[in-house]
Amino acid sequence: MTPGLPPIVRIFARFVPADLREPIAGDLAEEYAELRRHRGTLAATVWLWGQAARLAWAFRWERATRGRGLPPIGDELRSTSHMWDTIRQDVGFGFRMLRRQPGFAAVAIFALALGIGATTVIFSVVDAVLWRPLPYPAADRVMALAEQRPRESRWFGPVAPADFFDWRRDNKSFASMAALMVTAPSGAFNLTGAGEPERVKPLQVSPAFLAVIGVVPALGRDFLAEEEIDGREQVVLLSDGLWRRRFGADPSVVGRTISFNGNPFEIIGVLPPHFWWPSRPDVVVPLALDDHDRTLRAAHFLEVVGRLRDGVSPGQAREDLRLVGARLSQAYPAENANHAPNLRPLRDAFVGDVRPALLVLLGAVVFVMFIACANVATLLLARAASRQKELSVRRAVGATRSRVVQQMLTESLVVALAGGIAGLLVAAWGLAAFRTIVPAQFTTLPGIAAVGIDGRVLAAAFGLSALTGMIFGIVPALVASDSRIGTALTEEPRGSSGSVRAGRFRAALVVAELALSLVLLAGAALLIVSFRNLINVSPGFQPDQLVFTRLSLPGARYGQHARTVAFFDALYERLRAAPGLQRVGATTSLPFDGADSRLNLVIEHKTTAFPFPVRLHPRIVSTEYFQTMGIPLMRGRAFTGRDTDSTPNVVVINEAAARRYWPNEDPIGQRISLGATDDWRQIVGVVGDTRDEGLDAETDPAGYLPQHQVFLSLGNAFERTITVVARTTGDTASAASMLRTAVASIDPQLPIGLVRPMDELIGDSIAPRRLNFVLVSAFALVALVLTAAGLYGVMAYAVAQRTREIGVRMALGASRRQVLAMMFRQGGTMTAAGIGLGIAGALLLTRSMRSLLFGVSAADPAVYLGVSALLAAVAIIAVAVPSSRATRIDPLLALRE
Amino acid sequence: MSSADVSALGEFEQVVLLSILRLGDDAYAVSVRDEILRCTGRDVSRGSIYITLDRLETKGYLRSRLADPTPERGGRAKRYYALRPRAVEALRDSRRALVALWRGLEGVLGHA
């Protein structure tokens, strides 16, 4: 080296062809010496560094294209065009390599396609439901308000009308507030007047509703404030769907009158197509409460929404409401003690319980994605190792390490992108499948109808595949390119040491795969056990061979008790005579149907103060309801034909009520009054509990009232909805036609709702759980297969690597058993480590699933034992196959290799 | 060799070959670069000079020899370049092609 020429030149000289190194270094030294004379050592040194780096760069690109016919262009800009040439070359080479190793390509692309496909499906659902904004302007300013009863662990319950009116008047945080009627799916209107009678889904709202959600009618006008007054409410806004379907999108419908349940309603407008509400109503009508209902504080049946004033945060609104609620609790201690207003963003109210389920699914699918990536990485590593020789040759003839890394990365990116494209196909298919299996409850989720592969999802899928290719390609590439020039060429062809680092990395990947699989398996097993526990829960009645339908008696024609009673008596009479129907009953509140009203309960001669609210769900039922449903009578008697309006008032309670209010005494013979009125009824019987709100929900106290003794005035103000149930000996279709004929023969004007089997209603109630466990189990299965493949691949590779060593051992007298034991030690260590890590991870992560579990602890030892055993069994097979192959190695052949 | 069939020289390759011709016996990377700067005003990077020289040699247009090491170069040899006959032939071809293309265009483009 020239005195004064920094060693940097030597470093950069590595990038320069050997035969040019000396003259170039000489040229630089010459110019450097001159520059130092004129401009000083510092400037000269800086110049030298710069020149050395630029030269290194120039030659690096030149090197990248060595061996190709060079274009006869010598322009200085060629480095960029060279870059593209290089990439094109690498991509082409990558494809050729894939074609040459179709097995590797197929397994890698298959794994990635599964991972990316499943992730894309779940991501698009989660994105649509949880993340995309609701279809309202400034939707994040819209809050759902509810009443919380912390003592009963109810946080978002329906609101009593008087409370709503007080909140609306006293709050300072909301620009507008509106109440909605919680209508059961049964609460449909009979639309008559134009064509066939039809049942349409109404939404009853305060006039401010559209202002709250920021929707303006497409035609006509919004509700007026005075239209919430009883008697002024007979106006209606049509949904875009109903307007097009029933009225042929005729703009002149505004001003016309149609009839709901026999009452005339004026069409004041049509809602825009983008109007969306979870219940997907056909018509929106004002919620008009009469003077009595307006004062109710104990009957909770309203949903409330409000739009925050500008500049008011949800936290401030919460505080404001808390003060309003505290004043009400003081003013009305009987009804409002331990009640407080609560609020949450509207989306949370819509999404509710589905959020944890969706997030668990997203977590599960991300795990599958990780496992797929780890799998591809182990494949890439094994392949890189098997190409050690090729790479060594490349480096020996002058390829730089970064050049090799670049080429290997390009190859893994080619695999990843191919996987991404295949994954999109899987996703398209998966989304189509998802749409067909999506449970009915999910259709009320925001955005669920719009779930699909859009730009965001596409970007996510391809971003994911590119990232996979980069991250999981870089380590194999670095490891593979690490071999010093010549080592792999001179060393024995299948070095027993191979690359220790690569081996460790492969083992770590497999351990990670095993651990991730175990977490998924544990999650899936917990959901499966929960589901099994759930379907083993008795609903408290016999659901098989039971069908039901809903009838809405228009108030105009059934305004009198006698008229209603006569209708039902005639109906039961006819149905009892129908062949194929064993029993017929009716109720105002069918289990699993979602309707819920509660009345305050006064117990005669009872002075003990209960530490909880004393309430009952009132249910008006027909005489034969219990027998029809198969609800067992536990004590006393059921209703008989003698319980009429001329005999003493009676009530039958469920066991939950008996347990709660008469813990150590016999309730039979006691008298109670419902709804704080002086309406005393004697308890004549106790029936078994029915799981009214779902198989996983506790049963609340309920009281059954005989239909003949109570006017059907509960529920909706201007219609009486009742559910007719029938136990059949035939199929649903024939039961439906019998029901239809019977109703039409009594009142031809009365449409009946869909006739459905009771099984279906229970099935619907557990459908989200079923979907969850089916999907998570499917993911766990995919994870298991991928992990087994990964473990098998690593063991097979280890056997191939150690062929020579095994041959030596066997030649020196090692038995097959000893060799087998050696291989199993290697596989067993990885499996044990993976299972151990997996159990730790699962214990940590399944805690977040608690709300999805039923009758099983998140740390259930049997579940963990079971999945560990399953994973271990799969691991043993994955290790055994290549290992037994190892013991069949002929020592002579192995040594000669 | 396939590149022998490619008769057209790149513009920068012509520049380098012509500079070497002009320099005669004193053509090595630094002097070639200086000559290009002196004649055309183009300040060319060293890397492209080396690479182009290397390529032209590979293509058979140049031959090179190592001169004896000199002390001012820290005892390193200097690589001198000279044209092979086919480079002269290729330059003639290029010139003929260019002159033919230029002919009659003086009115449009003016005299340089």
Side-chain angles (χ1 to χ4, degrees), chain A residues 363-617:
Chain A
V365 88
V366 166
F367 273 33
V368 171
M369 185 69 205
F370 279 153
I371 292 174
C373 289
N375 222 318
V376 173
T378 53
L379 282 170
L380 286 171
L381 268 175
R383 200 170 68 120
S386 67
R387 281 170 64 185
Q388 208 79 8
K389 201 166 169 181
E390 173 210 330
L391 296 174
S392 295
V393 171
R394 280 167 180 265
R395 295 211 52 192
V397 297
T400 60
R401 181 169 186 193
S402 57
R403 182 70 191 83
V404 171
V405 169
Q406 188 196 336
Q407 188 207 315
M408 302 233 4
L409 262 186
T410 312
E411 284 180 44
S412 60
L413 272 176
V414 167
V415 173
L417 288 178
I421 291 166
L424 269 182
L425 296 179
V426 172
W429 173 83
L431 278 172
F434 182 84
R435 279 195 209 98
T436 61
I437 61 167
V438 64
Q441 284 91 329
F442 277 29
T443 56
T444 64
L445 292 174
I448 197 84
V451 167
I453 297 174
D454 64 357
R456 287 167 71 151
V457 174
L458 266 180
F462 276 95
L464 213 59
S465 15
L467 218 67
T468 307
M470 293 294 277
I471 294 172
F472 292 90
I474 190 92
V475 177
L478 285 176
V479 168
S481 61
D482 190 33
S483 55
R484 300 275 175 276
I485 295 175
T487 359
L489 287 178
T490 52
E491 253 181 30
E492 55 198 53
R494 285 183 191 167
S496 55
S497 60
S499 161
V500 177
R501 258 174 61 203
R504 279 206 199 117
F505 187 64
R506 259 195 311 275
L509 282 173
V510 170
V511 168
E513 276 189 63
L514 284 160
L516 290 172
S517 286
L518 192 116
V519 175
L520 270 182
L521 285 172
L526 288 171
L527 290 176
I528 291 172
V529 170
S530 298
F531 193 75
R532 195 203 58 200
N533 290 346
L534 197 66
I535 55 174
N536 284 341
V537 169
S538 161
F541 57 91
Q542 306 287 326
D544 36 291
Q545 296 292 313
L546 211 56
V547 299
F548 69 94
T549 190
R550 296 177 189 107
L551 289 176
S552 301
L553 303 184
R557 281 185 291 126
Y558 292 89
Q560 289 147 356
H561 182 46
R563 182 84 185 78
T564 316
V565 165
F567 170 81
F568 279 108
D569 282 344
L571 182 64
Y572 301 145
E573 194 67 36
R574 259 159 239 242
L575 290 175
R576 263 196 290 271
L581 292 187
Q582 283 182 327
R583 285 180 189 282
V584 183
T587 176
T588 49
S589 172
L590 191 68
F592 296 92
D593 207 14
D596 170 33
S597 61
R598 307 216 280 182
L599 290 178
N600 274 353
L601 173 73
V602 181
I603 303 169
E604 200 178 27
H605 310 308
K606 195 90 171 182
T607 46
T608 31
F610 289 104
F612 39 76
V614 182
R615 296 209 184 93
L616 275 184
H617 290 292

Side-chain angles (χ1 to χ4, degrees), chain A residues 569-732:
Chain A
D569 282 344
L571 182 64
Y572 301 145
E573 194 67 36
R574 259 159 239 242
L575 290 175
R576 263 196 290 271
L581 292 187
Q582 283 182 327
R583 285 180 189 282
V584 183
T587 176
T588 49
S589 172
L590 191 68
F592 296 92
D593 207 14
D596 170 33
S597 61
R598 307 216 280 182
L599 290 178
N600 274 353
L601 173 73
V602 181
I603 303 169
E604 200 178 27
H605 310 308
K606 195 90 171 182
T607 46
T608 31
F610 289 104
F612 39 76
V614 182
R615 296 209 184 93
L616 275 184
H617 290 292
R619 272 162 215 161
I620 302 168
V621 298
S622 69
T623 310
E624 286 196 36
Y625 175 71
F626 300 127
Q627 292 95 312
T628 308
M629 291 288 283
I631 299 171
L633 179 71
M634 313 307 286
R635 245 181 293 172
R637 66 166 176 94
F639 299 128
T640 69
R642 286 185 297 281
D643 295 315
T644 64
D645 44 3
S646 53
T647 58
N649 282 346
V650 292
V651 60
V652 169
I653 59 171
N654 66 1
E655 284 191 292
R659 264 197 314 273
R660 186 176 294 187
Y661 303 127
W662 294 272
N664 298 310
E665 47 190 316
D666 188 1
I668 306 285
Q670 305 268 0
R671 295 216 305 162
I672 57 171
S673 170
L674 280 171
T677 53
D678 233 14
D679 171 33
W680 295 104
R681 296 179 169 273
Q682 186 168 42
I683 299 171
V684 293
V686 178
V687 293
D689 289 342
T690 53
R691 300 272 171 170
D692 304 312
E693 287 172 58
L695 291 174
D696 54 349
E698 287 294 309
T699 303
D700 281 340
Y704 296 91
L705 313 174
Q707 195 179 9
H708 284 106
Q709 290 184 351
V710 193
F711 180 45
L712 278 178
S713 65
L714 297 162
N716 201 303
F718 52 90
E719 68 162 6
R720 293 98 187 64
T721 298
I722 198 154
T723 304
V724 176
V725 285
R727 189 166 292 280
T728 69
T729 51
D731 57 358
T732 310

Side-chain angles (χ1 to χ4, degrees), chain A residues 115-128:
Chain A
I116 291 172
T119 312
T120 306
V121 170
I122 300 300
F123 176 81
S124 19
V125 174
V126 170
D127 179 50

Side-chain angles (χ1 to χ4, degrees), chain A residues 277-320:
Chain A
W277 195 254
S279 63
R280 292 189 292 178
D282 298 309
V283 293
V284 179
V285 295
L287 172 68
L289 297 170
D290 59 27
D291 291 342
H292 168 72
D293 286 354
R294 282 175 168 265
T295 61
L296 291 176
R297 263 179 219 285
H300 298 83
F301 55 87
L302 296 178
E303 281 177 19
V304 177
V305 291
R307 183 175 280 272
L308 294 173
R309 267 183 215 286
D310 287 342
V312 174
S313 74
Q316 288 165 324
R318 181 185 298 277
E319 180 58 20
D320 178 25

